[in-house]
Each structure stands twice: as C-alpha cells, then as structure tokens.
Amino acid sequence: MKMRLPLALIANVRLLNSGFRIRHSIHNGVTKTALLSSHNICSRAERKWIKPAGFDTGVKTYNSLTKQKEPLVLAQERIATWYSCGPTVYDHAHLGHACSYVRFDILQRILSRIFEINVIHVMVITDIDDKIIQRSLEQNISPTVLARMHEEEFKRDMQALRVLPPAVYMRVTDNIPQIVAFIERIIGNGHAYVTSQGNVYFDTQSIGNRYGKLVNLGGVVGELGSQDKRDPRDFALWKAFKPHEPHWESPWGQGRPGWHIECSTIASSVFGSQLDIHSGGIDLAFPHHENEIAQSEAYHQCEQWGNYFLHSGHLHLKGSVEKMSKSLKNYVTIKDFLKSYTANEFRLFCLLTRYRSAIDYSDASMNEARSTLSTISAFCHNVQAYMQGHLQCQPIEEGILWERLSATQSSIRKALADDFDTPKAVDAIMSLIHHGNCQLQPATKVDGPRSPAVFGAMLSYVREIMGVFGVDLLDRKEVHDSSGVLNNVVEELVHFRIKVRKFALSVEDQAPQDPQTGSEIQKRHPQPDRVPLLKACDALRNNLAPLGVYIKDRGTNSTWEITRGETRKN
C-alpha cells in the first residue's frame, strides 16, 4: 500500500539553520547525519515540574511527573484539555483495556458534573503498527480493513460500557502529513537524525538530563531491534520501508511513523504547545509517555508540554501477578464479559478501588460489585414504595436523615476532590443507605405522620451521584429494550396477583388486638381452602425472578421491577 503526500511536505530537510550545526558520524558501520543545537539545554534542574498558572479547580490529583498529589490547575478557566492514548486496533478489546477507559471516564464525569469543568477529550486510534501488520499478514487481509473492523468493535464496546466518547477520535493514518511535518521540525531543532537506512531517530543525548521526567531510568534503557542508532535509548520517529508493509512518502524516503510520534503530533495539532492532562495505563508511562514528552518538548522548544500525567493501575486476574493482556493470553473480551455481568456492575467494580491502584478481577470481586449495586437498587425501590404508600413504617426520625444527607453530600465532594477517591465516596453512599434502611422497617400498624420528602431527597441524591459515576439506576436502556408492552403486561399481571393474594389472605374475622400495644395477640391463618392460591402466587413470583421480573410482597400489596439478571436483596 503506497500513499503520496503533497509536494510541499516532501521538500528536502533544511540542514542549515541559525544556531545549529551538522554532525556526521559512523556507528556500527552506518553513516548518520544529525543536526546538533549549539545551545546547551541539559541540566537536571530542568526535570523539575513547573506548577501551572491559571484556574485552580479545587481538586488535587496524583501527578506521575512529581510522584505526589498536586493541585489541579488549568490553563483556562473551567476548561480542561485532555489527551488519551486509544487502542491499537488489531484484536478484540479486553477487560484490561475496559478498566482503564471506564476509570478515566469516571474521572472525566466527576470533573464535569461535580466541579463544572468542560473536559475537551481527544483520543488517538492507532491504526498502523507492527502488531496490525503482523496480524493482517496472518489473516491475509488488508491492514486497513483489519484496523477498521476492530476500531468499530472498540467503539461498540465502549458504548456498551457507557464510556462517553471523546470530542473526537483521530486515526494515525489520517494524520501522516502532520506527522512528517512534526518530525521535520524536531530534526530542524536539532533533536533527531536520519540514518543511511532511511530511519529517523530521536536523539536522546541532545536533551541530556531532561530525558526521564516520568521514569528514573537508572541506566541505559532502549528499544530493541534497531542497529543503526547512536544511543540505545534513541527511539524511532520514522521507520524505513519494508516489503509488504504500508508506506508513505517522506523527505527521508518511503516508510511509516514510529509509535510514539503519533500521539505528540495529534495532541499538538489540537491543543498546541500546552496540554493540561494526559492519561493512560501505567504500562504506557515508559517508554511511550516518556518519549512523547521528549519529542513534544523538542518540537515546541518548551520547558513543560504536559502538566499532569494520570496513570491507571493494571487489571490482574485474581491470584496472578501478571496484568491482563493479549500477549499473555489471559484476557476476557468485553463482549464475553457482558454476557455474564452488566455495565453497571463493571462500573461498581471499578469504583470500589482507586483509579491508580491495581485491581484484581475474579468472580468474587464481581459478586461484591453486584451485591453493592443490588443494595443500592433495593434501597431506591423501597424508598419509592414508601413514598407511594405501599410500604408502611413507624414514624421516621426525619431530622437525623436530613443531617445524614447533608453530611454525605459534603464528604463525597471532599473525597472526590482528593484524587477522585471513589471508594470513599461509595462508602459514604452505602452509609447513607444503611441509615435510611434502618428507618424503612415495615410495620403492620402505623401511628403518626409520614416523611416521604426526606426519602425523596435521599433517593434523588443517590441517583444523581451514581449517575455522575455513569451508573444508571433507572436502567433506561434496559427498560427500553424490554419494551413498553412488556411493562404494561407485568403491571396487569401483578395487579391480578395482588387481588388473588388479598382474597387468599382474608379471614372471617379480625384477630384480637392488645389494647395497650395495638398488636395482634394471635395471628389467624388463612382459610385452608385458600392456601393453594397463596402457594400459586409465591410460585409465580419465584418463577418470574430468574426471567428478570422481580416482585416484592409488602403485606397485602406488592411492587415490581424489571431487572437484568441482578440478584436482588429483600
């Protein structure tokens, strides 16, 4: 596959610029030409992080550049520029990918909904890469076709997991002219060299101690497999043409981009010389993000390109020290996962740990998430039943619940401002629900006023904060999928069952009551000939539950909801 660029972008590299000189050298028998800056930019002090000037969000976040929490300060008021590394589309996305994308989706939602920040998110789609080329050869299809297939599958997976799409997806192959121009300037600035084989490498020695902002290299670390570079740490900006590989024209001959250059080019094409937030999995910190920083600052000639680097922890299979990955063949695809669990349950799974912590995946950890979601859903259902008058309770200590709600709102905002501490926020929600449940105890005889307003406020807040996290407690999609017809049928069925139960539970006369407590001294049993009706009602309720229709009996009344395979708590 051969692609041509406009002639303006194939001009010869200008070798002589003010402040630069040409160096020719021979390394391992290969002659190389590079441009060296006459300015010395190498000093350890220049690795130091520079706190941005601008709008303080009130949030503190862990910055991989400083290895500690820092105030999140944005260049523009209430606007966050955010770049993330997207997928290399050569295979199915798996849960390890999903975990990172869902976690950062939660962070972006928190910034938007809680702290009123307009997040402008750009994500790259890597659609040309060694792995894509290798897989296309194995399957005997075009690399472009392979990449498009898995790109669309990735987008469907993200939609199924309720991950908000970025403002724009940008493919590498749609930005080849910009990548070539980006490399030209890095060469012109004296930080890259062209080899006789037609490769272009970033010259790490040209930036001295500034290389290693994210990772303390400790010693010589480099990419393997290249023999025509000066320093083992140097990395490819442009790879020379090889047979049976896609290639494009460039001033250095036919070839294709290296891996790291794509992100620097695309992020810079949208956001310019300054980026607020860059995110990705912790495995991308080195070499990918380290090299992005080096080449971006070499291009822009700036001291600090990205202000905050956020990294998510690995997803591990329970009992394994290895991350979930395709290369280790220990992965679960998103499509297969969603056959057993819901998007809501996976979000709860992610919320129960800090975004930058490693997370263990197992049936037990997913069941914990499912149980937590079930407790929240059951509370919402019980509150609705109480507000509708279907659930009778003793008088509520309303003042205590209002105080609990206010304290919960304050503690959750504080937790989320502290490096997006979602486990602490979920704990606060569960504590609020616990105190609500303590007062939602059914009673056969009720004296005194009811307090639906405070429970309405609690219900609204729980739905709101879970909605911020991307957990849809209203299950709009699932109810929509089940159709309005099914809802109407279930409604009629439950009403009919209520009438049957009331008839079956009725007795000839009321049981005597204690004059002081008002409670029944001795309960009367249903008439024997009506017991089969009660058993039939119970059987119907039990048989419908596995089918997703959950009926809860509340005295002689009943409430119902359509679920999606969740195990509900009574």
Side-chain angles (χ1 to χ4, degrees):
M1 180 170 61
K2 183 176 180 181
M3 303 185 184
R4 297 188 177 274
L5 304 180
L7 290 176
L9 292 173
I10 311 177
N12 290 329
V13 181
R14 291 188 295 271
L15 296 179
L16 294 176
N17 286 307
S18 177
F20 297 95
R21 59 187 174 83
I22 304 175
R23 180 176 77 184
H24 298 278
S25 64
I26 300 177
H27 181 70
N28 290 337
V30 179
T31 303
K32 299 178 285 288
T33 302
L35 298 176
L36 300 180
S37 172
S38 60
H39 306 292
N40 181 13
I41 63 170
C42 307
S43 74
R44 187 167 298 276
E46 288 179 315
R47 277 196 198 176
K48 186 177 180 181
W49 181 69
I50 304 168
K51 182 179 178 180
F55 175 74
D56 192 333
T57 62
V59 175
K60 283 192 172 183
T61 187
Y62 186 88
N63 190 353
S64 295
L65 288 168
T66 63
K67 308 298 186 292
Q68 64 183 20
K69 295 177 188 177
E70 302 288 355
L72 180 58
V73 179
L74 306 176
Q76 299 183 65
E77 184 173 352
R78 299 199 178 281
I79 295 176
T81 57
W82 187 312
Y83 178 84
S84 65
C85 300
T88 300
V89 284
Y90 74 99
D91 204 340
H92 307 292
H94 58 66
L95 279 193
H97 303 130
C99 189
S100 182
Y101 293 123
V102 168
R103 282 169 148 182
F104 285 123
D105 178 69
I106 290 170
L107 266 58
Q108 291 177 356
R109 287 170 180 266
I110 291 169
L111 282 178
S112 299
R113 298 275 297 276
I114 301 296
F115 300 101
E116 300 178 336
I117 304 299
N118 181 11
V119 178
I120 305 172
H121 179 206
V122 172
M123 180 183 288
V124 70
I125 299 289
T126 301
D127 59 344
I128 183 64
D129 174 83
D130 293 340
K131 294 177 180 177
I132 294 173
I133 294 169
Q134 180 61 34
R135 184 60 55 86
S136 69
L137 292 173
E138 292 171 358
Q139 298 185 1
N140 195 29
I141 60 175
S142 160
T144 301
V145 171
L146 177 75
R148 295 294 179 271
M149 288 168 46
H150 289 299
E151 177 185 338
E152 291 308 311
E153 181 185 37
F154 168 78
K155 291 176 180 177
R156 289 194 300 270
D157 286 341
M158 293 300 102
Q159 184 177 22
L161 292 170
R162 297 193 184 122
V163 174
L164 296 174
V168 63
Y169 289 106
M170 299 187 72
R171 296 181 185 134
V172 175
T173 57
D174 291 339
N175 288 272
I176 300 297
Q178 293 90 333
I179 291 172
V180 170
F182 201 92
I183 296 171
E184 284 189 287
R185 180 180 288 189
I186 293 176
I187 294 174
N189 287 343
H191 301 298
Y193 55 92
V194 185
T195 73
S196 60
Q197 297 180 15
N199 296 308
V200 182
Y201 291 103
F202 187 86
D203 185 359
T204 54
Q205 292 182 17
S206 71
I207 61 171
N209 289 326
R210 291 184 63 171
Y211 189 65
K213 283 192 170 184
L214 272 177
V215 180
N216 184 4
L217 301 179
V220 176
V221 180
E223 297 178 347
L224 302 176
S226 300
Q227 302 299 320
D228 61 336
K229 57 184 181 179
R230 300 182 183 136
D231 190 299
R233 300 173 303 169
D234 294 353
F235 53 91
L237 304 181
W238 187 260
K239 296 183 176 183
F241 165 74
K242 294 180 182 178
H244 310 298
E245 288 190 356
H247 57 277
W248 291 262
E249 298 290 345
S250 82
W252 321 288
Q254 296 177 345
R256 59 184 176 88
W259 174 27
H260 317 296
I261 195 66
E262 65 191 46
C263 289
S264 294
T265 301
I266 290 172
S268 296
S269 71
V270 178
F271 298 125
S273 61
Q274 186 175 58
L275 177 67
D276 290 321
I277 301 170
H278 194 311
S279 65
I282 188 61
D283 53 316
L284 295 178
F286 186 86
H288 187 50
H289 292 166
E290 190 71 65
N291 292 347
E292 276 189 68
I293 293 171
Q295 61 201 7
S296 296
E297 293 178 357
Y299 174 89
H300 294 293
Q301 293 289 273
C302 62
E303 293 184 83
Q304 185 166 289
W305 168 63
N307 290 332
Y308 300 87
F309 274 76
L310 277 55
H311 291 107
S312 60
H314 283 150
L315 179 75
H316 299 267
L317 290 174
K318 184 71 173 180
S320 172
V321 296
E322 301 288 352
K323 70 170 185 174
M324 183 177 287
S325 71
K326 294 172 186 173
S327 60
L328 296 173
K329 302 186 185 302
N330 63 349
Y331 64 91
V332 179
T333 66
I334 296 170
K335 185 177 180 180
D336 287 342
F337 170 83
L338 290 175
K339 293 176 183 177
S340 302
Y341 300 100
T342 68
N344 277 347
E345 289 166 347
F346 187 68
R347 280 195 177 252
L348 254 298
F349 169 74
C350 293
L351 286 163
L352 292 174
T353 58
R354 300 290 289 262
Y355 76 93
R356 55 190 175 90
S357 300
I359 184 170
D360 285 334
Y361 171 77
S362 66
D363 287 338
S365 58
M366 283 308 305
N367 285 335
E368 180 187 0
R370 174 173 282 178
S371 176
T372 302
L373 179 61
S374 179
T375 299
I376 296 170
S377 298
F379 171 75
C380 294
H381 193 64
N382 291 340
V383 166
Q384 286 180 304
Y386 174 79
M387 295 179 71
Q388 292 166 343
H390 300 316
L391 176 61
Q392 301 298 319
C393 301
Q394 291 297 332
I396 303 298
E397 297 181 65
E398 190 171 339
I400 293 177
L401 291 183
W402 282 118
E403 290 177 5
R404 285 283 176 184
L405 176 58
S406 178
T408 300
Q409 292 170 326
S410 177
S411 65
I412 286 179
R413 184 179 179 90
K414 183 178 179 181
L416 297 180
D418 182 15
D419 196 28
F420 311 98
D421 192 344
T422 58
K424 186 175 286 186
V426 172
D427 284 346
I429 293 168
M430 300 310 291
S431 177
L432 177 68
I433 288 174
H434 169 74
H435 285 91
N437 282 336
C438 286
Q439 299 204 41
L440 277 179
Q441 296 302 315
T444 55
K445 184 175 178 62
V446 178
D447 293 317
R450 302 177 72 255
S451 304
V454 67
F455 279 106
M458 292 170 68
L459 175 62
S460 295
Y461 180 70
V462 170
R463 281 179 175 169
E464 177 189 355
I465 197 65
M466 296 309 292
V468 167
F469 297 149
V471 177
D472 183 7
L473 294 178
L474 296 176
D475 286 331
R476 282 183 289 264
K477 180 178 182 298
E478 292 158 15
V479 171
H480 174 73
D481 289 346
S482 64
S483 82
V485 173
L486 176 59
N487 286 302
N488 291 332
V489 169
V490 173
E491 179 78 20
E492 289 300 316
L493 175 64
V494 172
H495 275 300
F496 176 76
R497 182 177 174 277
I498 289 172
K499 291 178 181 179
V500 173
R501 289 187 76 253
K502 282 184 177 180
F503 173 74
L505 289 168
S506 63
V507 293
E508 292 181 341
D509 50 60
Q510 296 295 320
Q513 294 183 338
D514 187 310
Q516 293 186 356
T517 65
S519 61
E520 295 179 359
I521 297 174
Q522 183 179 6
K523 289 188 176 181
R524 299 290 297 275
H525 295 288
Q527 298 179 39
D529 60 341
R530 299 182 186 180
V531 171
L533 289 176
L534 286 176
K535 290 183 177 180
C537 287
D538 289 345
L540 177 62
R541 178 196 63 209
N542 296 337
N543 290 339
L544 288 177
L547 302 177
V549 179
Y550 176 77
I551 300 174
K552 186 167 185 177
D553 294 323
R554 306 176 186 278
T556 57
N557 285 323
S558 302
T559 58
W560 65 274
E561 63 179 322
I562 295 177
T563 68
R564 188 184 167 193
E566 296 174 2
T567 304
R568 292 298 192 195
K569 290 187 174 181
N570 293 329

